[in-house]
Amino acid sequence: MSDSLKRVKRHLWKPKTMFYLGMIMIIPFLLLAIAGYFELGILGMFDDYVAREIIDERDPVLTSIFRMITLLGNVPPTILITIVTSLFILLKLKNRWLSLWYLLTVALGAGVLNQVLKYAIRRDRPSSVEHLITQGGYSFPSGHAMGSIIIYGAMIFLILRLSERLWFRIVGTIGLSLLILAIGVSRIYLGVHFPSDIVGGYSVGMMWLTFSIGLYGLSLTKRPEIEKIEGHHYKR
C-alpha cells in the first residue's frame, strides 16, 4: 500500500471529522420534521412531485424487482445480515471490538432509534396511492432507508478501512451505495413511504453512522490496544 493511501486511511475517520459530519447530516431530517409539524405546503409539493415521477413508472417487471429489493431492508434479513457480518469480523478477522461496534451500531440505530423517532413523530403512511405491499407502523423516518444507510453504510466503512485491494474498495462502495439508493426508491415505488420519509431516514441514518464511527475512532485513541486488526487486512 502506498504511503499516501496509508495517510488517507489513517486520517479519513478522525473522530472530530465524523462528529462534524454527523451534525451536518442531521440537518435535512430536522428541516423535514419541522416542515411536517407545521404542515408546510412545500413538503407536500415535494412529496407529490417525486412520488408521482416514480410511481408513474410502475409495471409488472419493475414491481417484481422492487419487491425483491425492499426485502433487503426488512427486519428478518437485516438481522441475519448483521449477525453474519458481526460473526465474520469476530471469527475471520479476530476483532471482537469491531464486531461489537458493528452489532451495536445496527441494533441501536436501525432498531431502537428508528422506532423512537417514528413513535415520537407519528406520521401516517401515504393514503392516496396504492400500496403494492402490506406495511404497518408509522412512516417518518423510513426504517428501510435509515436501516440501509446504517447496515450497508457501516459495511462500506469496514471495506474502506480494512481492505487493501483498490478494486474491491471501489466495487464494494459503489455496489452497496446503489443498494442503499435502490432500497429507498423501492419504498416510494411500492407506495408505502413519502419521498421525504426516505430523505429523512437517510439523513438521521447518516448522522447515527458518522457519530458511531467517530466514537469508534475515539475509543481507539483511548485504548489503541483493542484495535488488533491493524495490519491484518482481508483480501477479495
Side-chain angles (χ1 to χ4, degrees):
M1 184 184 301
S2 66
D3 291 338
S4 60
L5 183 56
K6 288 181 180 179
R7 286 195 296 270
V8 171
K9 291 184 71 173
R10 186 166 58 249
H11 297 291
L12 183 60
W13 312 110
K14 279 187 174 181
K16 184 181 292 186
T17 303
M18 292 294 101
F19 294 146
Y20 285 149
L21 182 59
M23 288 188 287
I24 294 172
M25 290 294 100
I26 196 60
I27 292 175
F29 168 81
L30 295 176
L31 293 177
L32 290 171
I34 292 171
Y37 180 80
F38 289 104
E39 298 182 350
L40 301 182
I42 190 172
L43 181 62
M45 293 171 59
F46 169 76
D47 283 335
D48 289 344
Y49 176 77
V50 176
R52 184 53 52 196
E53 290 295 313
I54 294 174
I55 291 174
D56 282 349
E57 301 300 321
R58 282 180 174 178
D59 68 58
V61 174
L62 275 179
T63 297
S64 298
I65 292 173
F66 278 124
R67 278 176 172 165
M68 289 187 292
I69 289 174
T70 206
L71 290 176
L72 295 175
N74 285 3
V75 173
T78 55
I79 290 176
L80 178 61
I81 290 169
T82 301
I83 292 173
V84 169
T85 303
S86 297
L87 288 176
F88 175 81
I89 299 169
L90 176 64
L91 301 177
K92 178 67 174 178
L93 304 182
K94 309 298 182 183
N95 193 311
R96 289 179 294 178
W97 181 242
L98 196 58
S99 175
L100 180 62
W101 170 83
Y102 183 80
L103 185 64
L104 290 178
T105 296
V106 173
L108 296 179
V112 177
L113 179 59
N114 180 257
Q115 291 303 307
V116 169
L117 293 173
K118 279 181 178 288
Y119 280 93
I121 297 172
R122 295 176 179 267
R123 184 183 191 184
D124 292 329
R125 295 187 183 274
S127 59
S128 60
V129 297
E130 179 187 4
H131 292 193
L132 301 183
I133 59 172
T134 301
Q135 185 69 60
Y138 293 109
S139 187
F140 183 87
S142 164
H144 278 63
M146 184 174 169
S148 66
I149 279 284
I150 295 172
I151 295 167
Y152 302 115
M155 286 185 182
I156 292 174
F157 165 69
L158 294 174
I159 290 172
L160 293 177
R161 182 173 179 83
L162 304 178
S163 177
E164 290 183 327
R165 300 294 180 87
L166 177 60
W167 70 266
F168 187 61
R169 291 196 298 272
I170 294 174
V171 171
T173 299
I174 293 176
L176 289 170
S177 298
L178 290 175
L179 176 60
I180 292 168
L181 177 62
I183 289 174
V185 172
S186 76
R187 306 303 287 173
I188 303 171
Y189 179 93
L190 296 171
V192 294
H193 274 295
F194 297 101
S196 57
D197 298 336
I198 306 304
V199 176
Y202 285 156
S203 172
V204 72
M206 277 298 299
M207 179 276 294
W208 177 261
L209 179 59
T210 52
F211 274 11
S212 182
I213 292 173
L215 289 173
Y216 175 74
L218 188 62
S219 74
L220 299 184
T221 64
K222 302 299 182 182
R223 295 180 57 200
E225 70 275 10
I226 65 177
E227 175 63 342
K228 298 178 181 179
I229 200 167
E230 292 298 332
H232 179 190
H233 303 284
Y234 65 91
K235 298 180 180 180
R236 289 290 184 273

